[in-house]
Amino acid sequence: MAEELVRDPLLGEQRLSEPVLLAVLGSAALQRLKGVHQAGASYLVREGRDTTRYEHSVGVMLLIRLLGGSLEEQLAGLLHDVSHTAFSHVADYLFACYDEDYHEQHLRQVIERSDLPALLHSSGLDLKRILAFERWPLLEQPAPELCADRVDYTLRDLWHAGYLTQVDVKRFLQTLRVREGRMVVAGREAAIWFVRQYVRLVTELFMHPLEMFADYQLARALRLALNEGLLREEDLFTEDADLLARLRQMAHPEIARCLSLLRPGLEVMEVSADQPFDVYARVKPRMVDPLVLLEDGSLARCSALDGELAALQQAVLHKAQRGSYLRLRG
């Protein structure tokens, strides 16, 4: 039986022997995600923002596997982000999808146009069942619960950005447990640590003025290209480098100006609503409040164990809902 050793910097080495997992990993649809950055345009302006959707998808699958999830749920983990456009959530800002669900709206269409249905059918698997993500409680949960998707992007983004070490990540992963099909954290301190890291992710990465400005500036360039017929919406479902190259070849002065700003050394500041600004940016409000497995075997919400966390997260939610006014320095 063929095997493949998958090496992940955060989840370690795992041997995969299931033919369908290996086939999906090697599919064109999954391989495209190697060229799609998870943090949108941020990697163009800021170091450490180079996580790819492929790396994250594999990480989600491996985490589900480590926690005892079924083969179908592991496949769902691999496929959950396959419909992201180039530059990921930039498409949400382009089309004003404030729930950041543009890729979810297009998931079935993207998969049906790919090589994935034939691969799954040949393995006797039901694509419709796999894509019913509500079946897979380890993969997806509504906020503020933990799930493999939310845990992986938090730890992976913070590690890539230099905020966490591999030791930090592995220590937390060892505290994850499954109770009644849901992911919980064993121990108060580990849960509080994760919530604080999540706040850090949202405030210092997702809501950083530089990152929001870069995403919205790229969205503006794409909007110009779409409005003038230089791009079609389906052209977005490619890789970052390909889409960026097309934009740069358009010889459009305003698009060129937008792209010229997306470089290392870009300086952006947040200003008040009554001051001149270049970009008004909004990101999806996000929070977590995991269930904590206590020493006596009972479960409690993390916020019930640390009163400061609820106030901290409410402040972050309020800022996300209000939006940010951003201006170029100089």
Side-chain angles (χ1 to χ4, degrees):
M1 181 182 293
E3 287 190 347
E4 183 173 322
L5 182 64
V6 176
R7 294 183 174 89
D8 183 87
L10 302 184
L11 292 158
E13 295 183 350
Q14 293 193 45
R15 288 195 176 277
L16 305 183
S17 58
E18 298 88 341
V20 67
L21 279 181
L22 297 177
V24 170
L25 278 169
S27 68
L30 259 291
Q31 291 296 308
R32 180 184 73 87
L33 298 184
K34 291 181 176 180
V36 177
H37 287 84
Q38 182 154 290
S42 300
Y43 79 98
L44 297 171
V45 299
R46 202 175 182 201
E47 290 185 359
R49 300 298 277 137
D50 52 352
T51 311
T52 67
R53 285 285 160 190
Y54 179 85
E55 183 184 345
H56 166 61
S57 298
V58 172
V60 169
M61 179 270 289
L62 293 176
L63 183 52
I64 292 168
R65 189 180 183 89
L66 285 169
L67 293 173
S70 67
L71 174 62
E72 288 176 303
E73 190 160 9
Q74 292 173 53
L75 286 165
L78 279 181
L79 299 182
H80 81 286
D81 272 354
V82 78
S83 55
H84 264 291
T85 64
F87 294 101
S88 293
H89 289 298
V90 168
D92 293 302
Y93 312 137
L94 170 61
F95 296 113
C97 296
Y98 294 117
D99 288 331
E100 298 189 1
D101 59 354
Y102 180 86
H103 69 291
E104 294 170 9
Q105 297 172 24
H106 292 78
L107 179 64
R108 183 168 292 278
Q109 178 185 4
V110 168
I111 287 181
E112 287 176 350
R113 290 193 316 229
S114 75
D115 50 351
L116 293 167
L119 288 177
L120 295 171
H121 180 73
S122 67
S123 299
L125 293 166
D126 183 346
L127 175 61
K128 184 177 180 180
R129 175 180 166 85
I130 290 171
L131 296 184
F133 292 153
E134 66 275 9
R135 292 179 178 271
W136 315 125
L138 294 179
L139 168 60
E140 295 279 10
Q141 287 286 336
E145 306 289 349
L146 290 192
C147 59
D149 179 36
R150 201 164 284 129
V151 168
D152 186 84
Y153 74 63
T154 301
L155 299 177
R156 198 169 297 277
D157 279 2
L158 287 170
W159 175 72
H160 268 278
Y163 289 87
L164 297 178
T165 66
Q166 288 178 319
V167 172
D168 294 328
V169 172
K170 290 177 180 177
R171 184 184 298 122
F172 176 74
L173 290 175
Q174 289 170 357
T175 71
L176 294 178
R177 303 288 187 273
V178 178
R179 290 294 181 273
E180 298 179 1
R182 291 186 297 174
M183 190 182 299
V184 303
V185 183
R188 173 181 181 274
E189 295 305 317
I192 291 172
W193 177 87
F194 184 81
V195 172
R196 292 192 177 278
Q197 299 312 312
Y198 195 83
V199 169
R200 195 183 204 186
L201 173 79
V202 173
T203 56
E204 299 185 34
L205 296 182
F206 296 170
M207 293 173 60
H208 192 287
L210 192 59
E211 298 206 8
M212 289 192 293
F213 183 91
D215 280 347
Y216 272 78
Q217 199 69 14
L218 181 56
R220 183 166 185 269
L222 290 169
R223 189 175 298 111
L224 287 166
L226 287 169
N227 288 346
E228 301 197 19
L230 302 172
L231 275 182
R232 298 172 301 169
E233 189 171 346
E234 53 264 38
D235 295 330
L236 301 176
F237 293 91
T238 179
E239 298 181 19
D240 295 358
D242 295 337
L243 185 58
L244 195 58
R246 285 196 61 176
L247 288 172
R248 285 173 171 161
Q249 292 167 2
M250 287 177 181
H252 186 291
E254 192 57 30
I255 291 174
R257 180 186 175 280
C258 292
L259 299 182
S260 71
L261 297 172
L262 302 181
R263 52 176 171 70
L266 176 68
E267 294 186 12
V268 178
M269 60 182 177
E270 189 169 351
V271 297
S272 60
D274 60 352
Q275 293 180 288
F277 64 92
D278 297 301
V279 167
Y280 169 71
R282 285 178 58 190
V283 297
K284 179 181 178 180
R286 299 171 184 266
M287 66 173 293
V288 292
D289 189 9
L291 285 169
V292 184
L293 180 64
L294 303 176
E295 290 185 2
D296 64 2
S298 64
L299 294 172
R301 284 286 171 198
C302 188
S303 58
L305 306 176
D306 187 325
E308 294 181 2
L309 290 181
L312 178 63
Q313 293 210 89
Q314 283 302 316
V316 175
L317 287 173
H318 178 69
K319 182 175 181 181
Q321 291 163 346
R322 185 181 69 236
S324 299
Y325 297 86
L326 309 174
R327 188 171 73 204
L328 282 167
R329 288 188 183 273

